[in-house]
Structure formats: structure tokens, C-alpha cells
């Protein structure tokens, strides 16, 4: 552990002990540059930077149009994570997880010093940086898993397209969004950490991630640095690739997830004559019952039906109302606005899902916000997937 | 050169059958409208012995009239059907309504049940009462003339 600096409680000489004292230049007589970050780690780091930047932009700003690209980049993140885990076992010294799994006491001493403005020198990751590495890897793993479950459950696409249920997909999508904010926070903290550490005198912090070189003191006995084992790493990666391929072959043979029940032709014909045929799971049974009892004054119009036909349509609506829905997202639509229990666009779950849509969009839609199919190409199929959302252009009137 | 004549004759025969069917199909809506108007005329005569036939002008005035007796969102036929019967209309919820003019929408008023359903709903909504046979006949006559 000599390369990690002094163990806690031991007053060993530390580099940069006094805050504000500039570090010795890297090429003086007492220091020489050694390869701390190997090529694999550096390629991993910068590839991840590029892809995560794209993921954040596409995830937060272009999610409606670029789901396919976002998913493709997500697979790249998973491939990089797999590499990092393998390289954490078979990589060279400072890439190995074991080289930055610090005892708690050591990390605490490091933190105590850091609070006092001093930084204990570490050739590889500092304890705080190690924490950041593990937090980033864990968050990215959780984002990958939740992303794949959301893509499978909500869109029936990706490796879990035939395995993840709609309910799981909904929950995963919520988790994915929360984790995304967590990732943004971690990236910000990481950049701040690099800035602070550089200010405290950590030499070549950013450059080392480019050329891999950091100054090591000549006086100290050269630590026994384990070399990377690219052959073993490659074998492990091939094994992972084979496992993924086997999984995809198996899951591709599963039957597709059944689509939500199709609209009743009578409901679609009668109700869909005047407005978008709202999917029945968008309202609770009680609302549908009240609505069917008041068709002579239906949102300001007379929409009366033959009693037998109205009864048949009502029976179908009640059987497929939000009460009967399996997915958590659809069950949210059990909640209505008590003042307007028949109006889907007044219900809290509807408002939650459309809060980010500018009011101008609904003004451009013929019939306004109640015209689901104007933007949701799959509204009458009961899906409402992000993929199918197409906002009307500002020029088309 | 006998071989090609058989397919040509067969083609002509198919074409003739198709044309006879399509012309029959084209006639069917106007036949249905005629029957509907005849029934409405009988009803109008029974309600008013002085009834002397439907009028496209009265129908046009009825179509454009702004009633104040129905539901406030739909004071007139033109609220949804556009002021020009040859233009498509639009429901308040944004669905397109095919033009009412028979010259544009050939199968308009050819399904008696559909005609009855929409007269009942829309007369109630727009005027606040059912329409008389005279009003319905004038309306259909106006739309058939456009």
C-alpha cells in the first residue's frame, strides 16, 4: 500500500502537506514519470466521457426524437462498463479495483487532511476519487439496467422487449429519470473534485488521463506494479459477449408481449366520430359510468346513443377502465380531478405527463389538448409510447 | 390471331360487369336520399296539409341560422359544419367532418339510421328541440343541391 501514501495515524512525509505550496515540477531530480493509467483505462475514460455527454443531452433534451440513438449509446455504455469491470480485475496496477479499495480508516484520515486543505498524495485514485469511481460505475450500471427495462416494458424494444412487463417498464422509467439527475450531480462533483485537487497541488491530474504519466518520487522504493493481462481480459470479454449473444438468441425466440386490447368497434365508431377514441384505461370505471349516463349533455353537446348500444359500450368501457389496468402508469389514471371527474385532460396524472409540453403546442392542435391522436400516433392502441409522440410543427396549421 | 381475342373479350366482360356494379353503387345513395325525402314529405304533409314541397332556400337559411335556444357552444349548424357545405367541417374536439354537400360527399344522407341519429342529436344540441319533417327535408334538399 506504499503507493497510496501514509496509512492513517502515521506521520509519514506527505507531498503537498502545506496548502498553497506549489508541488515540485514533475521532471526534477527527485521525481520521474511513471505510467499510472494504462491505455485501456484512458480509452475507457474518454469514450465514456463522450458517450455520457451524448446520453445526457439526448436523454434530457431530445428524448422524444432520439430514443433509438439514446438506446444505441446505452448499449455502448454497457459495453464500456463490462470492459471496466473486466479491466478492474485484469488491468494494470492502478486500473485494478483492488488498488483503490481503501480501508475506512485510511479514507477518513485522507478526508480529515483534505478538510484542512492538505492533500495526501496518491499515485492512483485518492480515496475520494475511488468513491467517485465506484459511485459513477454503480450509477451507470443502474441507469443501464433501468434503461433496458424501461425500453423493454414501455416500448417492447431492446433485449428485454419480450420480457419486461409494462408495469416494470413504467417503474424503471421513473427510476431512470431519477438516476439521470444523480449522474448529472456526480459528473459535476467529479469535475469539481478534479478542479479542487489540481488547486491543492495534485500534479498532472488531467494530463495523466491523456498520456497516463504521473510523477513518482525517486527516493521511495519503486512499488511492485502489476502489469495488465490483456489476454485474460480479452478472454473474459469474449465470454461476456457469448453470454449476451446466447441471451439475445434465447429472448428473441420468446413470444412478443401481447398488445393492449383493441378498441371495441362500436365504441370506436360512435365515440370516435366526434373525438379521439380515448383509450378506456385513461379513466376509472366510475367516470365512464357517469359519462355514459349523461350523454345528452356530453361536454356541451348532445351525444345520445340507442340505449342497447350505450349499454354495450359502457360494459366494454368498464371492463377496460383504469381499474382493470395492470401497468402502474395506467393505474395512476384512477385519480381524477374531483371537480371534473369526466375530463381526462383535467386529471392530475394527465397534467403530470403534459407539464413539460408548451401551451403553444395545444393551441396548434385541432380540438386542443383533448385530441390525443394529434401527437400520440398510438393513442387509440392504448400505448402512448415516447417513440410515437410527434408534436405538430409550428408551420402546419 | 384468335388467341389474343379471348383475353381481350374476357377483360371487356370484367370491365362491363365492374362498370355496371359501380354505376349501380353510385346510384344507390341518391336512391336512398330520394326514399328518405319521400318519407319526410309524407310526414310533413301529415303535419301540415298546406305543405307544398321542400325548399333549398329555406334549408340554406336554416343551416346558417344562429339559434339561441340550444347548447351555448353550438349555436348553429355552421359551428361545426363550416359555413360552406362544400368544405369539410370540424368537431369541437378536432375531428374532421366530411363536407355536407352531396356533390362533395356522395354518400351523404344515404343511411336513414345515421341521418335520424344525427338530426336528433344536433337539433337537440343546436336548437334545443327536435326538428320537424319540414326542416329536415329542406336541409336535405339544400345539401343535395350543393
Amino acid at each position: 500500500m506504499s503507493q497510496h501514501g501514509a496509512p492513517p495515524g502515521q506521520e509519514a512525509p506527505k507531498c503537498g502537506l502545506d496548502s498553497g505550496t506549489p508541488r515540485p515540477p514533475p521532471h526534477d531530480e527527485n521525481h520521474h514519470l511513471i505510467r499510472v493509467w494504462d491505455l485501456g483505462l484512458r480509452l475507457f475514460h474518454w469514450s465514456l466521457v463522450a458517450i455520457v455527454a451524448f446520453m445526457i443531452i439526448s436523454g434530457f433534451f431530445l428524448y422524444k426524437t432520439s430514443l433509438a440513438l439514446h438506446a444505441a449509446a446505452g448499449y455502448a455504455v454497457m459495453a464500456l462498463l463490462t470492459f471496466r469491470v473486466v479491466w478492474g480485475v485484469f488491468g494494470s496496477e492502478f486500473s485494478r479495483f483492488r488498488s483503490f479499495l481503501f480501508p475506512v480508516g485510511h479514507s477518513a484520515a485522507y478526508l480529515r487532511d483534505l478538510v484542512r486543505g492538505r492533500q495526501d498524495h496518491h499515485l492512483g485514485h485518492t480515496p475520494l476519487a475511488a468513491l467517485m469511481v465506484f459511485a459513477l460505475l454503480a450509477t451507470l450500471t443502474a441507469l443501464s439496467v433501468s434503461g433496458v427495462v424501461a425500453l423493454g416494458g414501455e416500448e417492447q424494444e431492446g433485449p428485454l422487449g419480450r420480457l419486461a412487463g409494462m408495469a416494470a417498464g413504467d417503474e424503471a422509467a421513473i427510476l431512470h429519470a431519477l438516476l439521470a439527475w444523480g449522474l448529472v450531480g456526480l459528473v459535476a462533483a467529479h469535475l469539481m473534485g478534479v478542479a479542487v485537487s489540481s488547486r491543492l497541488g495534485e500534479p498532472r491530474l488531467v494530463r495523466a488521463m491523456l498520456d497516463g504519466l504521473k510523477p513518482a518520487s525517486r527516493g521511495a522504493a519503486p512499488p511492485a506494479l502489476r502489469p495488465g493481462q490483456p489476454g485474460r481480459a480479452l478472454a473474459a470479454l469474449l465470454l461476456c459477449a457469448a453470454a449476451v449473444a446466447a441471451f439475445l438468441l434465447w429472448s428473441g425466440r420468446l413470444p412478443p408481449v401481447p398488445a393492449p386490447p383493441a378498441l371495441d368497434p362500436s365504441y370506436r365508431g360512435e365515440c370516435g366520430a366526434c373525438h379521439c377514441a380515448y383509450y378506456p384505461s385513461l379513466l376509472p370505471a366510475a367516470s365512464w359510468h357517469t359519462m355514459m349516463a349523461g350523454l345528452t349533455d356530453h361536454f356541451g353537446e348532445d351525444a345520445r346513443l340507442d340505449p342497447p348500444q350505450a349499454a354495450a359500450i359502457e360494459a366494454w368501457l368498464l371492463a377496460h377502465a383504469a381499474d382493470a389496468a395492470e401497468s402502474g402508469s395506467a393505474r395512476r389514471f384512477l385519480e381524477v380531478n374531483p371537480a371534473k371527474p369526466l375530463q381526462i385532460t383535467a386529471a392530475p396524472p394527465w397534467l403530470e405527463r403534459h407539464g413539460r409540453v408548451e401551451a403553444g403546442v395545444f393551441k396548434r392542435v385541432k380540438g386542443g389538448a383533448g385530441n390525443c391522436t394529434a401527437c400520440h400516433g398510438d393513442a387509440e392502441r392504448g400505448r402512448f409510447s415516447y417513440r410515437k409522440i410527434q408534436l405538430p410543427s409550428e408551420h402546419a396549421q | 390471331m384468335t388467341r389474343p381475342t379471348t383475353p381481350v373479350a374476357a377483360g371487356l366482360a370484367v370491365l362491363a360487369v365492374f362498370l355496371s356494379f359501380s354505376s349501380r353503387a353510385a346510384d344507390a345513395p341518391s336512391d336512398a336520399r330520394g326514399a328518405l325525402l319521400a318519407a319526410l314529405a309524407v310526414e310533413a304533409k301529415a303535419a301540415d296539409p298546406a305543405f307544398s314541397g321542400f325548399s333549398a332556400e329555406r334549408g340554406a337559411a336554416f343551416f346558417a341560422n344562429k339559434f339561441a335556444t340550444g347548447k351555448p357552444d353550438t349555436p348553429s349548424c355552421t359551428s361545426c359544419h363550416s359555413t360552406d357545405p362544400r368544405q369539410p367541417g370540424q368537431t369541437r374536439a378536432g375531428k374532421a367532418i366530411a363536407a355536407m354537400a352531396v356533390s362533395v360527399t356522395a354518400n351523404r344522407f344515404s343511411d336513414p339510421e345515421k341521418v335520424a341519429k344525427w338530426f336528433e342529436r344536433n337539433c337537440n344540441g343546436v336548437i334545443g328541440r327536435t326538428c320537424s319533417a319540414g326542416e329536415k327535408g329542406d336541409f336535405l334538399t339544400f345539401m343535395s343541391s350543393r
Side-chain angles (χ1 to χ4, degrees), chain A residues 49-124:
Chain A
V49 168
I51 296 179
V52 164
F54 172 77
M55 295 304 273
I56 289 176
I57 292 168
S58 67
F60 279 98
F61 303 106
L62 316 165
Y63 65 105
K64 284 169 191 163
T65 48
S66 68
L67 191 61
L69 280 176
H70 188 81
Y75 300 139
V77 169
M78 284 180 247
L80 284 175
L81 286 174
T82 309
F83 166 79
R84 185 65 189 91
V85 170
V86 167
W87 207 236
V89 178
F90 298 117
S92 72
E93 180 66 31
F94 296 105
S95 297
R96 295 191 186 204
F97 294 139
R98 277 174 58 188
S99 78
F100 52 95
L101 278 168
F102 298 103
V104 177
H106 176 83
S107 302
Y110 170 84
L111 277 177
R112 244 190 339 264
D113 282 352
L114 198 65
V115 169
R116 294 181 191 131
R118 303 182 303 198
Q119 184 164 229
D120 189 6
H121 183 56
H122 289 75
L123 255 184

Side-chain angles (χ1 to χ4, degrees), chain A:
Chain A
M1 295 282 288
S2 62
Q3 70 273 21
H4 304 317
Q10 206 175 314
E11 286 303 311
K14 290 171 186 174
C15 302
L17 201 92
D18 304 308
S19 64
T21 313
R23 296 200 143 273
H27 287 289
D28 69 0
E29 287 162 9
N30 300 323
H31 288 82
H32 68 302
L33 291 176
I34 65 163
R35 176 97 47 217
V36 175
W37 309 127
D38 57 47
L39 182 66
L41 189 90
R42 284 175 283 146
L43 282 178
F44 161 80
H45 177 267
W46 294 113
S47 310
L48 195 66
V49 168
I51 296 179
V52 164
F54 172 77
M55 295 304 273
I56 289 176
I57 292 168
S58 67
F60 279 98
F61 303 106
L62 316 165
Y63 65 105
K64 284 169 191 163
T65 48
S66 68
L67 191 61
L69 280 176
H70 188 81
Y75 300 139
V77 169
M78 284 180 247
L80 284 175
L81 286 174
T82 309
F83 166 79
R84 185 65 189 91
V85 170
V86 167
W87 207 236
V89 178
F90 298 117
S92 72
E93 180 66 31
F94 296 105
S95 297
R96 295 191 186 204
F97 294 139
R98 277 174 58 188
S99 78
F100 52 95
L101 278 168
F102 298 103
V104 177
H106 176 83
S107 302
Y110 170 84
L111 277 177
R112 244 190 339 264
D113 282 352
L114 198 65
V115 169
R116 294 181 191 131
R118 303 182 303 198
Q119 184 164 229
D120 189 6
H121 183 56
H122 289 75
L123 255 184
H125 294 299
T126 67
L128 206 55
L131 215 61
M132 175 57 73
V133 169
F134 288 122
L136 278 167
L137 292 179
T139 305
L140 284 168
T141 304
L143 273 163
S144 301
V145 172
S146 60
V148 166
V149 174
L151 188 69
E154 291 199 323
E155 316 285 330
Q156 274 81 58
E157 285 178 28
L160 300 184
R162 295 180 172 197
L163 283 163
M166 255 181 108
D170 292 337
E171 303 302 329
I174 293 166
L175 186 66
H176 194 73
L178 288 174
L179 286 165
W181 282 109
L183 179 68
V184 169
L186 283 176
V187 167
H190 174 49
L191 293 175
M192 256 168 58
V194 169
V196 168
S197 205
S198 295
R199 280 293 292 265
L200 287 178
E202 185 69 29
R204 299 190 102 255
L205 195 57
V206 178
R207 280 191 64 187
M209 203 36 93
L210 290 168
D211 60 18
L213 302 173
K214 273 191 172 185
S217 112
R218 255 185 227 287
L225 300 182
R226 283 164 293 194
Q229 295 165 302
R232 289 189 180 190
L234 188 67
L237 283 173
L238 287 175
L239 215 63
C240 291
V244 169
F247 173 79
L248 290 179
L249 277 176
W250 168 75
S251 67
R253 296 167 70 116
L254 293 174
V257 173
L263 290 179
D264 172 66
S266 175
Y267 168 74
R268 191 196 180 102
E270 290 300 335
C271 308
C274 292
H275 52 71
C276 145
Y278 300 111
Y279 203 74
S281 66
L282 294 175
L283 280 178
S287 291
W288 286 122
H289 176 71
T290 311
M291 191 175 310
M292 293 308 286
L295 284 180
T296 51
D297 191 5
H298 182 69
F299 292 90
E301 291 194 30
D302 188 318
R304 67 184 70 193
L305 283 167
D306 260 5
Q309 193 179 17
I313 288 178
E314 182 178 341
W316 181 80
L317 286 170
L318 297 191
H320 298 89
D323 314 59
E326 283 177 28
S327 101
S329 185
R331 288 191 67 81
R332 278 285 293 116
F333 279 82
L334 279 170
E335 190 189 344
V336 295
N337 179 337
K340 296 171 176 173
L342 307 187
Q343 194 176 327
I344 297 163
T345 55
W350 189 92
L351 294 169
E352 279 162 22
R353 282 160 180 74
H354 296 80
R356 286 168 68 177
V357 183
E358 302 162 55
V361 169
F362 295 124
K363 291 208 182 83
R364 291 203 294 277
V365 171
K366 285 179 180 176
N371 189 354
C372 307
T373 42
C375 301
H376 295 278
D378 55 354
E380 295 192 353
R381 293 202 296 280
R383 293 242 47 130
F384 300 95
S385 76
Y386 275 138
R387 212 41 178 303
K388 295 282 165 26
I389 297 174
Q390 194 148 29
L391 298 182
S393 87
E394 292 186 34
H395 309 292
Q397 258 299 349

Side-chain angles (χ1 to χ4, degrees), chain A residues 270 274 299-301 303-304, chain B residues 71 91-92 117 121 124:
Chain A
E270 290 300 335
C274 292
F299 292 90
E301 291 194 30
R304 67 184 70 193
Chain B
K71 297 188 190 296
T91 69
R92 286 167 58 232
K117 178 178 86 178
R121 285 176 164 185
N124 247 304

